Amino acid sequence: MSVPSTEIESHAKSIKVVIVGAGSVGVTTAYALLLSHLAAEIVLIDIDKNRALGEVMDLSHAAHFAHAKVTVGDYEDCAGATAVIITAGVNQKPGQTRMDLVKTNYGLFEQIVPQIAKHAPNTILIVATNPCDVLTQAAHELSGFPVQRVIGSGTAMDTTRFRHELGKHYGVNPRNVHAVIVGEHGDSQLPVWSLASIAGMRLGDYCKQKGIAYDEEAMEALGKRTREAAYEIIQRKGKTNYGVASVLVSILEPIITNADQLVTVSRVGNYAGVEGVALSMPCKLNRKGAHQDVELLLNEKEKEALRMSATSIKECFDSVAKKE
């Protein structure tokens, strides 16, 4: 964590976080959150209460060392929560795209989100369920919350993967790579090559200064690996959970600590001429939610790719929400 533990613990004293969904992502997120010392109370909600209880019993043994309270709850227990994370939904299976899950998970959100909004009208909603962007927009409309208080995990995970791949290629720590994936958390995602940089230099300039060739073919392959990483993991182990759990905690941290940190997350807005759609852009995160202060400076090719990504997400949302 980037915030000193003493500062985190001072913020944590009054923090309650609710996680809806006790599947692999929800439980792994609860465990990562527990060890982060960001919250004093973690509540796990699931339709299968017996399973949720078993997970909480196990987590409570870790809580002994982390000094946080972990409980099984119901939607009434969302009251007073700083944030509610939604991980509930049908998981992506080998060969499926995230968009294939939309009808089932949209129906689930129609049941879940109004109950959260009823009991926690001032909370921040964080959506991890796929298709993340479509369901972020669904959560916004079903809750009636302002756009800044409904945040999708979006391409925060893809951006982490992208930086990892770039760092590995150039032999530098991923933390020293500044690059983002924007648009859909899915097949139409956009690596912003024009702004990617290392040591304050765009990639082409960095390569020139280092005396190496800028390998465009290698970059294309790298972008493809980033886009298909989740499919590769699901093919091998049937799910992804560790990476997304750590990303969810990294989204929570600047919210809880009011850090004004820039993170690439999904939020409803107007993008590349497409109005009222949720997709990922760098946003400033703090206790009031996610804020887009500055429009990303894209080149014309990237603007068109973003427009196509936004259109794809909006068409999917409109089809499932039965909008004209």
Side-chain angles (χ1 to χ4, degrees), residues 68-270:
K69 180 182 177 184
V70 187
T71 61
V72 176
D74 241 315
Y75 289 102
E76 307 90 77
D77 297 299
C78 292
T82 300
V84 177
I85 303 173
I86 307 177
T87 68
V90 175
N91 291 327
Q92 192 175 347
K93 294 179 175 62
Q96 283 187 313
T97 68
R98 295 176 180 93
M99 289 298 192
D100 290 336
L101 310 174
V102 65
K103 287 185 180 178
T104 300
N105 287 343
Y106 183 90
L108 186 62
F109 268 50
E110 287 181 308
Q111 301 171 44
I112 290 173
V113 174
Q115 295 188 73
I116 297 170
K118 176 184 176 182
H119 295 288
N122 299 313
T123 197
I124 291 175
L125 279 176
I126 300 175
V127 176
T129 308
N130 281 317
C132 182
D133 304 292
V134 172
L135 294 178
T136 297
Q137 185 168 353
H140 163 61
E141 298 201 1
L142 292 166
S143 66
F145 287 3
V147 292
Q148 67 268 22
R149 287 203 285 119
V150 183
I151 304 168
S153 55
T155 61
M157 182 75 258
D158 305 289
T159 293
T160 298
R161 290 169 176 153
F162 189 40
R163 292 173 180 174
H164 170 79
E165 289 284 350
L166 282 167
K168 187 166 65 172
H169 180 82
Y170 286 110
V172 298
N173 191 304
R175 292 184 180 185
N176 299 124
V177 176
H178 296 278
V180 294
I181 301 280
V182 300
E184 180 198 354
H185 174 53
D187 294 341
S188 69
Q189 64 182 234
L190 169 63
V192 185
W193 294 108
S194 68
L195 299 179
S197 68
I198 299 172
M201 293 176 279
R202 304 288 169 88
L203 295 183
D205 294 329
Y206 177 79
C207 290
K208 191 181 296 182
Q209 286 296 99
K210 197 175 179 183
I212 60 175
Y214 177 74
D215 189 340
E216 195 162 335
E217 192 173 302
M219 293 300 99
E220 288 297 322
L222 186 153
K224 186 173 185 286
R225 287 197 301 275
T226 300
R227 185 173 62 253
E228 296 179 354
Y231 298 140
E232 290 287 325
I233 295 167
I234 291 166
Q235 187 66 41
R236 286 166 170 78
K237 61 172 275 190
K239 61 189 176 185
T240 62
N241 56 313
Y242 299 116
V244 68
S246 65
V247 162
L248 288 168
V249 173
S250 76
I251 291 169
L252 266 176
E253 183 181 310
I255 292 170
I256 290 170
T257 59
N258 202 32
D260 290 334
Q261 183 177 330
L262 292 175
V263 183
T264 311
V265 293
S266 187
R267 200 193 85 152
V268 174
N270 302 328

Side-chain angles (χ1 to χ4, degrees), residues 276-299:
V277 64
L279 56 72
S280 287
M281 280 284 171
C283 293
K284 182 173 72 175
L285 299 184
N286 56 34
R287 284 300 287 268
K288 293 182 179 179
H291 315 274
Q292 292 175 346
D293 291 345
V294 180
E295 186 176 348
L296 205 59
L297 189 62
L298 304 176
N299 63 31

